[in-house]
Amino acid sequence: MLSKRIIACLDVRDGRVVKGINFEGLREAGDPALLARRYNVEGIDEIVILDVTATLEARQARAQTIAAVAHEIFLPLCVGGGIRTEGDAAAAVEAGADKVSLNTAALLDPSLITTLARRYGSQAVVVAIDARWQDGRAAVYVRSGQAETPRDAVNWAREATERGAGEILLTSIDRDGTKSGFDCALTAAVSDAVNIPVIASGGAGTFEHFAEVFTTGHADAALAASIFHFNEHSVEALKGFLHERNIPVRLPGHGTVPGAPDAPVHPQHG
Amino acid sequence: MIALVDYGAGNLTSVRKALDALGASFWTPTSPDEVARAAGIIVPGVGHFSATSALDAPWRTAILEAVNRSMPLLGICVGLQWLFEGSTEAPEVPGLGLMAGRCTLLSDGQAVDHELRSKDGGKQQAIGRRLKVPHVGWNSLAFPKPSRLFEGLVEGTQVYFTHSYAAPVVAATAAITVHGMPFSAAVEDGLVAGVQFHPEKSGDAGLRILRNWLTEA
């Protein structure tokens, strides 16, 4: 059975991991490569780097961060934030990203989704949607949650799918950084409307929140940042909790025969 | 030296990184005649089956001749699919034909809800849960027979997949995974092997599988 994925998000600014509350008031959390290494050991399923203040000038710095993280892990790596053009996406892929996440750029020019899907395959194209409930509809926001668009998250997710997106990364702006739980209604509305995986983001605070978003929220994956960064909860403990709840997860360290003479290999560092 | 065949289908950075970590030496042949001097061949690939058309007659001949001379071959993702006769994803593009059968779109046999495919998405009624394609994420392996690829790994080991099309279960199938339908997560027939998942993205288990193959090469 396909496991529910636990994804760690590294919000990076100037090469350091930060994490905001409602996208503002960014807190320092450390070295992206060191965090990635720890998450890998704990059994994280995937890592997302979001360069929250990425600019065109920052492309080279971003490439260094991507390469440093990619060096630490043999896991899927997605990069978002500041991917505005095909060239930005190519630079991220070249540096070691397996997927790129498009947000504002896809809204401004939806054909970019198709362009990248043709070049790298749909599995490499994630469309990130930031949304909040507004008068009974899930309004799509841009510019780090500051500007509302006329788009509806469900319809935009469908259109993105048709244009070639391979996954949707759905963030609840209202829940982001609050640790009050994922927006399960929002996640289920989008997840049920598309036939591609939906990653829920925003609001993770407890293990119970993850169980909720995988059941009532119909999420295929759940992303969190701060609850992992500050050692509040380990990925391993979270997976043990979900496993107890009969939610399919990849348990760390179960892949090889325990105690086999030929122990699993580890990458050489340095 | 491993010949890592680059035919422009996706990014080889992570495969290179994994081979480096395992201490394997490799190069990317620029012409088919270079393949003959390899110790083993890896055909990676991610994306569309039609990309394999870049592996034209000279490449196919070189790879088939190498296989006939007992050179180990590993196809990854689309590279596994290419070992079969073809794929409904690109019916006009022939596979290598080392494995019988054709690759098909992952399906659970349920009718596609065309309402969901409408461009304007006017209606938003609850539609329940359907099979999600592409199959993205970690899924478990069942081993129908012993194989060199999975030596030291236990049944139920999880590896990372990202694909929409899949190869049928055949006599050479070394690992079966189910997503809507059972499919060949890996094949192994003598020195010809293929994996539908991405060992270079599957953590320690994936590196172990790659290392098992490298031991042959």
Side-chain angles (χ1 to χ4, degrees):
Chain A
M1 182 183 277
L2 183 61
S3 289
K4 299 293 188 182
R5 281 174 286 157
I6 306 295
I7 302 175
C9 182
L10 308 176
D11 292 282
V12 173
R13 184 180 59 186
D14 303 328
R16 301 287 292 175
V17 177
V18 293
K19 179 59 196 174
I21 294 172
N22 291 348
F23 288 109
E24 290 165 15
L26 299 167
R27 283 169 78 184
E28 186 87 6
D31 181 328
L34 288 178
L35 273 169
R37 183 189 297 182
R38 194 184 94 209
Y39 294 150
N40 187 29
V41 170
E42 288 183 2
I44 202 76
D45 295 317
E46 189 163 334
I47 288 187
V48 172
I49 297 173
L50 280 181
D51 201 336
V52 291
T53 55
T55 61
L56 281 175
E57 294 73 29
R59 192 193 282 180
Q60 197 167 356
R62 184 166 63 220
Q64 285 170 0
T65 302
I66 296 167
V69 170
H71 181 72
E72 293 294 335
I73 56 165
F74 291 91
L75 300 175
L77 175 62
C78 176
V79 173
I83 307 285
R84 305 262 182 241
T85 65
E86 191 178 350
D88 292 334
V93 167
E94 191 61 33
D98 300 295
K99 317 176 188 184
V100 292
S101 169
L102 302 172
N103 192 330
T104 308
L107 284 159
L108 291 174
D109 176 16
S111 74
L112 183 60
I113 300 169
T114 313
T115 303
L116 293 178
R118 287 207 179 114
R119 179 161 173 185
Y120 296 109
S122 284
Q123 85 293 330
V125 183
V126 178
V127 169
I129 301 176
D130 296 340
R132 72 159 36 113
W133 293 108
Q134 197 91 355
D135 305 323
R137 76 183 181 103
V140 176
Y141 277 67
V142 289
R143 294 207 287 117
S144 301
Q146 290 167 39
E148 188 180 348
T149 74
R151 290 214 182 241
D152 168 88
V154 170
N155 290 339
W156 173 226
R158 281 183 177 152
E159 182 182 335
T161 305
E162 298 223 336
R163 288 180 179 274
E167 290 179 81
I168 300 290
L169 168 53
L170 179 67
T171 300
S172 161
I173 297 167
D174 289 329
R175 301 295 178 90
D176 191 66
T178 64
K179 299 186 183 176
S180 60
F182 294 96
D183 189 332
C184 290
L186 177 69
T187 308
V190 173
S191 186
D192 288 351
V194 296
N195 61 353
I196 60 174
V198 172
I199 304 162
S201 162
T206 67
F207 291 172
E208 189 62 47
H209 292 154
F210 286 88
E212 283 166 10
V213 82
F214 287 139
T215 53
T216 60
H218 298 182
D220 299 287
L223 176 145
S226 45
I227 77 158
F228 299 140
H229 296 343
F230 298 105
N231 272 320
E232 292 166 40
H233 300 286
S234 82
V235 177
E236 192 167 2
L238 168 60
K239 286 192 165 184
F241 174 87
L242 294 172
H243 178 70
E244 290 289 309
R245 295 294 191 89
N246 292 317
I247 293 169
V249 288
R250 180 180 69 112
L251 295 172
H254 82 268
T256 46
V257 178
D262 222 355
V265 291
H266 291 279
Q268 298 299 310
H269 294 299
Chain B
M1 288 271 271
I2 302 297
L4 179 61
V5 179
D6 184 0
Y7 54 100
N11 180 20
L12 303 189
T13 306
S14 38
V15 177
R16 291 195 176 101
K17 192 161 63 81
L19 291 174
D20 277 338
L22 292 167
S25 53
F26 58 92
W27 93 106
T28 298
T30 51
S31 76
D33 45 310
E34 290 178 33
V35 168
R37 61 181 171 87
I41 307 167
I42 294 180
V43 180
V46 65
H48 203 277
F49 192 82
S50 62
T52 62
S53 63
L55 295 171
D56 54 10
W59 281 103
R60 297 164 61 90
T61 304
I63 291 172
L64 284 171
E65 277 177 3
V67 166
N68 285 336
R69 288 188 292 106
S70 298
M71 190 184 294
L73 170 65
L74 176 68
I76 299 175
C77 194
V78 174
L80 169 140
Q81 297 175 13
W82 187 63
L83 300 178
F84 285 75
E85 290 166 20
S87 171
T88 55
E89 187 176 25
E92 72 286 2
V93 178
L96 203 55
L98 289 171
M99 306 280 166
R102 296 178 75 78
C103 303
T104 55
L105 185 65
L106 286 166
S107 165
D108 58 3
Q110 304 293 310
V112 174
D113 183 350
H114 292 284
E115 186 66 38
L116 295 168
R117 295 194 166 278
S118 67
K119 270 231 155 45
D120 59 11
K123 296 184 185 172
Q124 294 184 21
Q125 76 270 34
I127 48 93
R129 312 194 58 183
R130 296 173 308 125
L131 186 72
K132 297 215 169 177
V133 176
H135 173 221
V136 180
W138 299 78
N139 208 331
S140 55
L141 301 173
F143 303 136
K145 62 170 189 180
S147 66
R148 287 186 297 272
L149 272 180
F150 299 110
E151 206 177 305
L153 286 106
V154 294
E155 185 108 343
T157 292
Q158 296 204 10
V159 288
Y160 185 78
F161 291 88
T162 176
H163 63 121
S164 297
Y165 288 78
V169 173
V170 294
T173 298
I176 298 172
T177 296
V178 179
H179 185 67
M181 63 187 200
F183 64 89
S184 279
V187 292
E188 183 178 294
D189 180 11
L191 292 170
V192 177
V195 290
Q196 177 60 65
F197 54 89
H198 288 273
E200 75 280 12
K201 289 280 141 195
S202 296
D204 286 343
L207 291 177
R208 173 62 188 262
I209 293 160
L210 268 183
R211 195 177 61 179
N212 283 347
W213 182 79
L214 286 168
T215 307
E216 301 296 321

